[in-house]
Amino acid sequence: ADLFREARELITSNAQVYINRLAEAVAIQSVSTDLSKRNACFQMADLLNQWIEDLGGKSEKVLVGFQELDDGQRFDLPPVILAEFKEEGKEKPTVLVYGHYDVQPANKADGWSSDPFTLTEKNEMLYGRGSTDDKGPILAWLWAIEVYREMELELPVNIKFCLEGMEESNSECLADLLHRESRSDGFLVGVNYIVITDNYWITTNRPCLTYGTRGVASFECEVRGGSQALHSGVYGGCIAEPMTDLIQLLAAVSNGGHGNIDISGCRKEDCEPLDDDEKDLYEGISFDTDQFRKEAGNVPSLVGDTATEVLMNRWRYPSLSFHGIEGAYSGHGLKTIIPGSVIGKFSMRLVPGQDSKKVEEEVEKVLRERFSQLKSSNELRITSSSSEAWLANPKSPLYQAGASALLKVHGIRPDFTREGGSIPITGTLQKILKVETMLLPLGASDDGAHSENEKIGKKNYIQAVHTLFVLLEEIDRIHQ
Amino acid sequence: ADLFREARELITSNAQVYINRLAEAVAIQSVSTDLSKRNACFQMADLLNQWIEDLGGKSEKVLVGFQELDDGQRFDLPPVILAEFKEEGKEKPTVLVYGHYDVQPANKADGWSSDPFTLTEKNEMLYGRGSTDDKGPILAWLWAIEVYREMELELPVNIKFCLEGMEESNSECLADLLHRESRSDGFLVGVNYIVITDNYWITTNRPCLTYGTRGVASFECEVRGGSQALHSGVYGGCIAEPMTDLIQLLAAVSNGGHGNIDISGCRKEDCEPLDDDEKDLYEGISFDTDQFRKEAGNVPSLVGDTATEVLMNRWRYPSLSFHGIEGAYSGHGLKTIIPGSVIGKFSMRLVPGQDSKKVEEEVEKVLRERFSQLKSSNELRITSSSSEAWLANPKSPLYQAGASALLKVHGIRPDFTREGGSIPITGTLQKILKVETMLLPLGASDDGAHSENEKIGKKNYIQAVHTLFVLLEEIDRIHQ
Ligand SMILES: [Zn+2]
Ligand SMILES: [Zn+2]
Ligand SMILES: [Zn+2]
Ligand SMILES: [Zn+2]
């Protein structure tokens, strides 16, 4: 308890230093999707590398591949930082921390109130691109280690970092590296726990631990007719229009209406049954459905009558969304064209119990069966890809360590939550290393990770340092 | 016959003069949709006005209204030219000629092989914006009159011109003017025949006369959910997605599949029955379906086994086309959004026998019935508009005069054709004046009226002068 208080005082007194360093990191425009900013990605890796070495860590920047433009120009992918804090000769558990130092694009003109790459404090919030996704959280890890150094204490656990710079660009080439490093004497060998701090609370003021994410199966359903758009006056009635086909195909997929998908392997009864333990987790969650409804663009109503039902629809049941159509007219007003070829885009969120490959097959079957009924002379092409849902055991020791750390710092037991979206790295790492994995969000639901005016609460950022400091102790405790 | 030959020789010897004048007209960028080019529209009206007066016509430029920008800036609409060639004291039939002097936008960068506003001769074709739509044809009328002047002959008929400068912008304010001028001693009083030269042959080499156009009913079907697009991971499953509703609504409309609309008032049996006379018109038409299929972007096949069936689907039966969706994702690749509100756009081409207002009502009924089945919490808004099909009697004297003129100039009897698209002015004028109306196309099917590299055949342009010269004689003959 003394240790806990001492650390808190030290962290509080260091607050401005932590903020200044976050400002330094935010100022580096490490936008991985923008090749003209590739140098900034390398600069950001250098800064992290320097900080890690200053703290006594061993850090390596690993090049994993390159991107090539049509004109043959090549760009190295931003390096993956593989770093380690380890005292030789001591038997300690090893925690792998994953994070990313690249950020989403940002332009002041998109609606930012302040320059996105200048960390700006306003009403106790720190605004800037990357402040919460994911520079703030990875910096908090470093300062938690620094607290141990400043207090002249040994780290209670060994820590490995995997910090990538391509997360916002599909983590290109990362999985290959992870596979390689998990073999024989690779970097990932010996990891006991995985902690990922790259998601968010489900409210603005209450910490949570995340034990599941949905998977996703994405579909592009193309109906190919002719090579060009045609005038509907001149050609309407004498050609088989691809849009007419596509609409019937999409309608066949969504047959079940809102909140129900009527396709084998995608129905509610195909999901893992709800047991009492899981039900209990939902009962405790503080979740304001009306607030959520308003945040969702003030939709007329939610699917689900209670907070629990809404959250279950969001986390533990599959969903189907139609995103749009490529190749059709999408502008304002009327344009009487017959599109030549069109691609319908939709995806399903998947949950434990569903086999993502089987889902891809079943959806394709529905599309092909409907298409054959249409007797169309057009051509149907379907492409799909998928990732599985991920689910951890919230009763496992790692989650108890996380809950204990949050309780100590915030004074409340965290909610145990899931994510409706996918965080593919979670499943990838767990599959490769086969160790307990925990998602520990440090930012609030309204941080606006990919939006304009992204921010992290000043209090959240500082408390994150404290939380991670305590978490290392707690992990040490569960491991004994 | 001497007269005919003499005129032909004169016209042939004048060819270069006609081409130079067309070049002068094409050089004026009278793009009515582009307010920055509004001055050019006025300049074009001035040029026509001058030419008409030089030929001894009485011409007036009538201002019919203005457009107002959001900032309060006002732009006068291009004037409507109402001009008249009439010898006082002579009893002659009066022919009203409609045409338009505004053109579609054009940029060299869109794929023009030569500057769109510099008339360019290549392989006996005259390339330039407006060459065939509709400057070439209206100029041909003026030179036909000029031939009478040069031959020192009286015009066999009185001619009135209505030449507008807003045709490519929905003919704004024109209908009001036409209504006004049809009353008491208005400009349109006393018209016996209407001839419109603003459409095209159905082949590249064979003249035709057009006796029908389809109408159109256009629909915007909006499903309103929330005010913004949402992330499908975070919100999928717990909101009623507007796209899911819209797809069921559109699917309900297209229930009948290709070549059949299964909605009351839109089925094939709701169209006027096919009699033997009409059947005969189709039998004679030279139409290459395979050529048509290739021009349609090489679609896999046409709806209809024979030329006659294809043409009937194109001209005398209704059709349904889905144009696209506003508000949904339309880009390349995947974007896992849930659109907040979406608008489905579709239209039906209408034929004689269909009541366009009833079609609007029936489609709305289908949409609303399906929507109520969906029990969605979203809001449905439907807007629609329509214009009726138009049909003339191809056996009437005016069409016989047209056929006779084309036979004399081209040496072949023209095909009698219809248009799949709509030419709203045709129905409007016929409704107001209640006199025989004929569409006399002067350009070829591949002239590319609204495309890049718009052109008119040099031979077609020159023969047009001859055709119109003879047509005036023929109209005089039928009227006696
Ligand atoms: Zn992130
Ligand atoms: Zn992100
Ligand atoms: Zn035109
Ligand atoms: Zn036009």
Side-chain angles (χ1 to χ4, degrees):
Chain A
D2 270 356
L3 186 72
F4 173 84
R5 215 176 7 246
E6 202 185 324
R8 188 171 60 193
E9 275 159 25
L10 187 59
I11 289 166
T12 308
S13 69
N14 277 339
Q16 196 53 51
V17 176
Y18 301 153
I19 293 170
N20 293 348
R21 290 171 182 164
L22 181 57
E24 204 178 330
V26 164
I28 299 174
Q29 305 190 14
S30 49
V31 179
S32 57
T33 52
D34 182 348
L35 283 174
S36 75
K37 298 194 163 149
R38 188 49 54 90
N39 276 344
C41 295
F42 278 83
Q43 207 186 325
M44 186 65 214
D46 288 342
L47 179 62
L48 289 171
N49 198 59
Q50 188 60 53
W51 276 334
I52 290 168
E53 290 184 346
D54 289 349
L55 291 172
K58 229 177 64 191
S59 182
E60 199 187 349
K61 290 174 289 180
V62 184
L63 290 179
V64 288
F66 57 85
Q67 288 166 286
E68 189 162 353
L69 295 188
D70 289 343
D71 65 4
Q73 231 188 321
R74 282 184 174 194
F75 291 84
D76 274 320
L77 295 175
V80 177
I81 294 178
L82 298 180
E84 188 169 10
F85 290 86
K86 176 177 183 165
E87 259 123 321
E88 291 301 329
K90 305 264 170 126
E91 272 302 313
K92 291 179 188 172
T94 298
V95 177
L96 174 68
V97 174
Y98 164 87
H100 64 91
Y101 63 80
D102 62 323
V103 297
Q104 284 278 319
N107 285 297
K108 177 93 167 62
D110 293 344
W112 285 76
S113 302
S114 52
D115 177 63
F117 297 104
T118 304
L119 192 74
T120 304
E121 190 175 331
K122 195 177 155 188
N123 299 331
E124 299 291 305
M125 299 293 168
L126 302 170
Y127 290 90
R129 179 55 89 215
S131 57
T132 197
D133 181 22
D134 184 33
K135 289 177 175 177
I138 59 181
L139 265 55
W141 278 104
L142 300 183
W143 318 149
I145 293 169
E146 189 184 43
V147 174
Y148 279 97
R149 302 294 190 225
E150 288 179 337
M151 292 171 72
E152 294 179 357
L153 295 169
E154 249 184 41
L155 285 173
V157 299
N158 298 323
I159 305 179
K160 290 186 175 182
F161 281 101
C162 170
L163 306 176
E164 68 158 320
M166 280 295 279
E167 198 273 344
E168 305 294 4
S169 303
N170 290 317
S171 297
E172 213 172 315
C173 295
L174 181 65
D176 284 352
L177 176 72
L178 298 178
H179 277 284
R180 273 200 311 278
E181 293 294 343
S182 67
R183 287 186 217 122
S184 53
D185 60 347
F187 172 80
L188 295 174
V189 173
V191 167
N192 304 97
Y193 303 100
I194 300 168
V195 181
I196 296 173
T197 48
D198 187 25
N199 70 315
Y200 305 92
W201 302 345
I202 66 157
T203 64
T204 57
N205 55 8
R206 208 182 151 87
C208 61
L209 290 168
T210 307
Y211 66 95
T213 59
R214 291 195 288 192
V216 64
S218 301
F219 299 86
E220 299 201 39
C221 174
E222 180 172 20
V223 182
R224 296 176 70 90
S227 58
Q228 70 204 46
L230 299 170
H231 188 289
S232 68
V234 179
Y235 294 95
C238 45
I239 66 166
E241 304 188 15
M243 273 292 275
T244 308
D245 290 336
L246 181 61
I247 282 172
Q248 293 299 330
L249 298 179
L250 299 180
V253 172
S254 80
N255 221 0
H258 302 294
N260 272 305
I261 307 171
D262 192 20
I263 292 178
S264 166
C266 305
R267 301 189 183 95
K268 285 201 168 170
E269 64 261 33
D270 297 312
C271 310
E272 278 184 2
L274 182 69
D275 63 23
D276 287 343
D277 279 358
E278 192 187 338
K279 219 185 266 175
D280 286 348
L281 289 176
Y282 281 88
E283 296 308 329
I285 296 174
S286 71
F287 179 68
D288 182 340
T289 53
D290 201 55
Q291 178 63 25
F292 182 71
R293 188 188 63 73
K294 282 175 189 150
E295 282 170 14
N298 219 9
V299 291
S301 70
L302 298 174
V303 179
D305 292 329
T306 63
T308 298
E309 280 176 29
V310 171
L311 288 176
M312 287 188 179
N313 286 332
R314 190 180 172 192
W315 295 340
R316 79 167 328 277
Y317 292 116
S319 66
L320 167 66
S321 297
F322 294 97
H323 311 305
I325 296 173
E326 179 180 348
Y329 178 63
S330 60
H332 194 63
L334 275 163
K335 189 170 181 183
T336 52
I337 58 156
I338 300 171
S341 287
V342 286
I343 310 176
K345 320 272 178 102
F346 62 96
S347 64
M348 280 190 195
R349 298 287 164 173
L350 307 179
V351 300
Q354 290 188 282
D355 175 337
S356 75
K357 285 297 154 204
K358 186 169 170 265
V359 168
E360 286 183 65
E361 281 163 25
E362 287 294 332
V363 170
E364 177 156 350
K365 207 169 94 186
V366 167
L367 292 170
R368 294 214 178 273
E369 275 175 11
R370 184 72 184 111
F371 191 68
S372 77
Q373 291 166 358
L374 297 176
K375 304 201 187 314
S376 168
S377 56
N378 295 314
E379 187 192 341
L380 174 64
R381 294 186 187 183
I382 301 165
T383 57
S384 61
S385 64
S386 65
S387 64
E388 302 277 351
W390 166 79
L391 193 66
N393 175 8
K395 304 214 154 181
S396 71
L398 181 61
Y399 276 84
Q400 296 318 308
S404 174
L406 288 167
L407 176 63
K408 284 186 181 164
V409 174
H410 288 268
I412 37 176
R413 271 195 72 78
D415 288 329
F416 286 86
T417 64
R418 288 161 73 164
E419 286 275 346
S422 310
I423 306 178
I425 185 69
T426 318
T428 307
L429 278 173
Q430 186 161 41
K431 217 174 224 169
I432 295 174
L433 299 180
K434 295 178 186 64
V435 299
E436 270 184 61
T437 302
M438 176 169 72
L439 291 181
L440 174 71
L442 297 168
S445 64
D446 63 350
D447 276 1
H450 288 197
S451 308
E452 297 79 50
N453 300 312
E454 176 183 345
K455 56 94 177 160
I456 191 167
K458 191 163 119 182
K459 187 174 160 202
N460 278 8
Y461 175 52
I462 304 304
Q463 278 188 328
V465 180
H466 201 190
T467 300
L468 298 175
F469 174 90
V470 179
L471 178 68
L472 297 180
E473 292 246 305
E474 298 291 329
I475 291 178
D476 178 35
R477 189 188 324 263
I478 58 164
H479 201 72
Q480 278 159 7
Chain B
D2 270 354
L3 187 69
F4 173 84
R5 217 181 0 249
E6 201 185 325
R8 187 172 60 192
E9 275 159 25
L10 187 57
I11 289 165
T12 308
S13 69
N14 276 341
Q16 196 53 50
V17 175
Y18 301 153
I19 293 170
N20 294 347
R21 289 170 183 165
L22 181 57
E24 202 178 332
V26 164
I28 300 174
Q29 304 189 15
S30 49
V31 179
S32 57
T33 52
D34 183 348
L35 283 174
S36 76
K37 297 195 163 148
R38 188 51 53 90
N39 276 345
C41 295
F42 277 82
Q43 207 185 324
M44 187 64 214
D46 287 343
L47 179 62
L48 288 171
N49 197 61
Q50 187 60 53
W51 275 334
I52 291 168
E53 290 183 347
D54 289 350
L55 290 171
K58 230 177 65 191
S59 182
E60 200 186 349
K61 291 173 290 180
V62 185
L63 289 179
V64 288
F66 57 85
Q67 287 166 287
E68 191 162 351
L69 295 187
D70 289 343
D71 64 5
Q73 230 188 319
R74 283 185 175 193
F75 291 84
D76 273 319
L77 295 175
V80 177
I81 294 177
L82 297 180
E84 189 168 10
F85 289 86
K86 177 178 181 161
E87 259 124 321
E88 291 301 330
K90 304 265 171 128
E91 273 302 311
K92 291 180 190 174
T94 298
V95 177
L96 174 69
V97 174
Y98 165 88
H100 64 92
Y101 63 81
D102 62 323
V103 296
Q104 284 277 320
N107 285 298
K108 177 94 167 61
D110 293 343
W112 285 77
S113 304
S114 52
D115 177 62
F117 297 104
T118 304
L119 192 75
T120 304
E121 191 175 331
K122 194 177 156 188
N123 300 331
E124 298 293 305
M125 298 292 166
L126 303 169
Y127 290 89
R129 180 54 91 215
S131 56
T132 197
D133 182 20
D134 185 31
K135 289 176 175 177
I138 60 181
L139 264 55
W141 278 104
L142 299 184
W143 317 148
I145 293 169
E146 191 184 43
V147 173
Y148 279 98
R149 300 296 188 225
E150 289 179 337
M151 293 171 71
E152 294 180 356
L153 294 169
E154 249 184 44
L155 285 173
V157 299
N158 298 323
I159 304 178
K160 290 185 177 186
F161 282 101
C162 170
L163 306 176
E164 68 157 322
M166 281 294 278
E167 198 273 345
E168 305 294 3
S169 303
N170 290 317
S171 298
E172 213 172 316
C173 296
L174 181 66
D176 284 352
L177 175 73
L178 298 178
H179 277 284
R180 272 200 311 279
E181 293 293 345
S182 66
R183 287 186 217 119
S184 51
D185 60 348
F187 173 78
L188 296 174
V189 172
V191 167
N192 303 97
Y193 303 100
I194 301 168
V195 180
I196 297 174
T197 49
D198 187 25
N199 69 317
Y200 305 92
W201 301 346
I202 65 158
T203 64
T204 57
N205 57 7
R206 207 181 151 88
C208 61
L209 290 168
T210 308
Y211 66 95
T213 61
R214 290 195 289 191
V216 63
S218 300
F219 299 86
E220 299 202 37
C221 173
E222 180 172 20
V223 182
R224 296 175 70 90
S227 58
Q228 71 204 45
L230 300 170
H231 188 289
S232 67
V234 179
Y235 294 95
C238 46
I239 67 165
E241 303 188 13
M243 272 292 274
T244 308
D245 290 336
L246 181 61
I247 282 172
Q248 293 300 330
L249 297 180
L250 299 180
V253 171
S254 79
N255 222 1
H258 302 294
N260 272 305
I261 308 172
D262 191 20
I263 292 178
S264 167
C266 305
R267 301 187 182 96
K268 285 201 169 173
E269 64 260 33
D270 297 312
C271 310
E272 277 185 2
L274 181 69
D275 63 24
D276 287 342
D277 277 357
E278 192 186 338
K279 220 185 264 173
D280 285 349
L281 289 176
Y282 282 88
E283 297 307 331
I285 296 174
S286 70
F287 179 68
D288 181 341
T289 53
D290 201 55
Q291 177 64 25
F292 182 72
R293 188 188 63 73
K294 282 176 188 149
E295 283 170 13
N298 218 10
V299 291
S301 70
L302 298 173
V303 179
D305 293 328
T306 62
T308 297
E309 280 176 30
V310 171
L311 288 175
M312 286 189 181
N313 285 332
R314 189 179 173 193
W315 294 341
R316 79 168 327 277
Y317 292 116
S319 66
L320 167 66
S321 297
F322 294 98
H323 311 305
I325 296 173
E326 179 179 348
Y329 177 62
S330 60
H332 193 63
L334 275 162
K335 189 171 183 184
T336 52
I337 57 156
I338 301 171
S341 286
V342 285
I343 309 176
K345 321 271 178 102
F346 61 96
S347 65
M348 280 189 195
R349 297 288 164 173
L350 307 179
V351 299
Q354 290 188 283
D355 174 337
S356 75
K357 286 297 154 204
K358 184 167 172 265
V359 168
E360 286 184 65
E361 282 162 23
E362 288 294 332
V363 170
E364 177 156 352
K365 207 170 95 185
V366 167
L367 292 170
R368 294 214 177 274
E369 276 174 9
R370 184 73 184 110
F371 191 67
S372 77
Q373 290 166 357
L374 297 175
K375 303 201 188 314
S376 167
S377 56
N378 295 314
E379 188 192 339
L380 174 63
R381 293 186 189 183
I382 301 164
T383 56
S384 61
S385 64
S386 65
S387 65
E388 303 276 353
W390 166 79
L391 193 65
N393 176 9
K395 306 216 154 183
S396 70
L398 181 60
Y399 277 84
Q400 297 318 307
S404 173
L406 288 167
L407 177 62
K408 284 186 180 166
V409 175
H410 288 266
I412 37 176
R413 272 194 71 79
D415 289 329
F416 287 86
T417 65
R418 286 159 75 163
E419 286 276 345
S422 309
I423 306 177
I425 186 69
T426 317
T428 307
L429 277 173
Q430 186 161 41
K431 218 174 223 170
I432 295 175
L433 298 180
K434 295 178 186 65
V435 299
E436 269 184 63
T437 303
M438 177 169 71
L439 291 182
L440 174 70
L442 297 168
S445 64
D446 63 349
D447 277 0
H450 288 196
S451 309
E452 299 78 51
N453 301 312
E454 177 183 344
K455 55 95 177 157
I456 192 167
K458 191 164 119 181
K459 186 174 159 203
N460 278 9
Y461 175 51
I462 304 303
Q463 278 189 326
V465 180
H466 201 189
T467 300
L468 297 174
F469 174 90
V470 179
L471 178 68
L472 297 180
E473 292 246 305
E474 296 292 329
I475 291 178
D476 177 37
R477 189 188 322 263
I478 58 163
H479 200 72
Q480 277 158 9

